[in-house]
Amino acid sequence: MKKLTKQLAALLCAVLALALLLPAAFAAEPVTVSLSSVSGQKGQTVTVDVTISANSNAGNGSMIVSYDPAKLEFVSFKAGTFGGLAEGGLMLENGKATPGKVSIAFMASGTLQEETMLGQVSFKILDGSSTIPLTLAMQELVAYTPEGAETDLMDTVKAENASVSIQAPDTTRPTTEPTKPVETKPVETKPTTEKPTEGTTAETAVNPGTGEGLSLAACAALAAAAGAAILFTRKKREA
């Protein structure tokens, strides 16, 4: 009887040990939740990715992203497309939103196997003097076995912080000067005048292209008229 009791006790201890070891083995691989570093100029809006590493088997979790509200202004949160739900916004303290802390929570429809972007946080840069740190603090992270057993990943999860790098405004001048419009001057056109036709029909018949024909014809006509007058006068005297 004592021997049987010892065997049952040993078997029970083995079952309990196996039950404890299975979740531990299942969650042995470290899980990383990280923020992406970004850069921008004062006045610009930048977007920070929140990502969880592959093979996490995570089903749900929550975290807080801290920043300097004097240098950054929270703009919005957008959930990632991982087949689940994710929400984010300014953390509420005593029912009031607190600038400087963004609370994020997610719940997957299954378990996350691939590297997954859980969401994106957008900030407006208020200060342009130095790099602005972003701090990630995990609040909860739960994984699920294929059978549905829960495993707390808080002992193995690693949070990676990030920063917003400030870029100096671009003050360089363009290397090429703008093209100046080409000035066009109006073309001056002089009126064309036709030369008078040299000579007349009679002139052309005598000597085309010169003025000599006109003078010779006129002289001939005068001579003929004078000769006729003299001849007429002689005949009159004789009569």
Side-chain angles (χ1 to χ4, degrees):
M1 186 66 179
K2 290 182 179 181
K3 185 176 181 180
L4 180 60
T5 303
K6 289 181 179 180
Q7 291 177 348
L8 289 175
L11 180 60
L12 181 60
C13 289
V15 171
L16 290 174
L18 183 61
L20 292 174
L21 288 174
L22 281 176
F26 176 74
E29 187 173 349
V31 177
T32 302
V33 180
S34 59
L35 302 175
S36 65
S37 292
V38 293
S39 61
Q41 298 178 7
K42 181 179 178 180
Q44 292 182 339
T45 298
V46 293
T47 300
V48 178
D49 297 339
V50 183
T51 307
I52 189 169
S53 60
N55 302 318
S56 66
N57 294 295
N60 61 274
S62 62
M63 65 206 76
I64 295 175
V65 178
S66 300
Y67 61 96
D68 187 347
K71 297 182 178 181
L72 293 176
E73 177 185 353
F74 170 73
V75 176
S76 63
F77 174 81
K78 181 181 179 181
T81 55
F82 58 90
L85 299 174
E87 294 183 354
L90 290 177
M91 184 176 178
L92 297 178
E93 293 183 355
N94 298 323
K96 185 178 180 180
T98 306
K101 294 182 180 180
V102 176
S103 178
I104 301 172
F106 75 93
M107 178 178 291
S109 57
T111 57
L112 301 179
Q113 302 298 323
E114 303 294 333
E115 182 178 80
T116 304
M117 185 180 69
L118 301 174
Q120 295 178 313
V121 188
S122 295
F123 297 98
K124 181 179 179 180
I125 302 175
L126 304 178
D127 184 86
S129 60
S130 61
T131 300
I132 307 169
L134 300 173
T135 304
L136 176 64
M138 296 300 303
Q139 300 296 302
E140 180 184 19
L141 190 60
V142 178
Y144 293 91
T145 65
E147 293 77 19
E150 293 186 5
T151 301
D152 189 355
L153 299 180
M154 289 299 293
D155 291 337
T156 60
V157 66
K158 177 184 177 183
E160 290 188 352
N161 302 324
S163 62
V164 179
S165 299
I166 305 302
Q167 295 177 341
D170 187 7
T171 57
T172 58
R173 296 182 178 179
T175 55
T176 58
E177 295 183 357
T179 304
K180 295 181 179 179
V182 179
E183 296 182 359
T184 56
K185 295 182 178 180
V187 178
E188 295 181 359
T189 56
K190 296 181 179 180
T192 56
T193 56
E194 297 182 356
K195 294 181 178 181
T197 305
E198 295 181 355
T200 60
T201 305
E203 174 190 279
T204 305
V206 177
N207 190 3
T210 67
E212 296 178 357
L214 178 61
S215 58
L216 291 175
C219 290
L222 291 173
I230 294 173
L231 181 61
F232 177 77
T233 303
R234 286 180 179 179
K235 287 182 177 183
K236 188 175 180 180
R237 287 178 180 179
E238 292 176 358

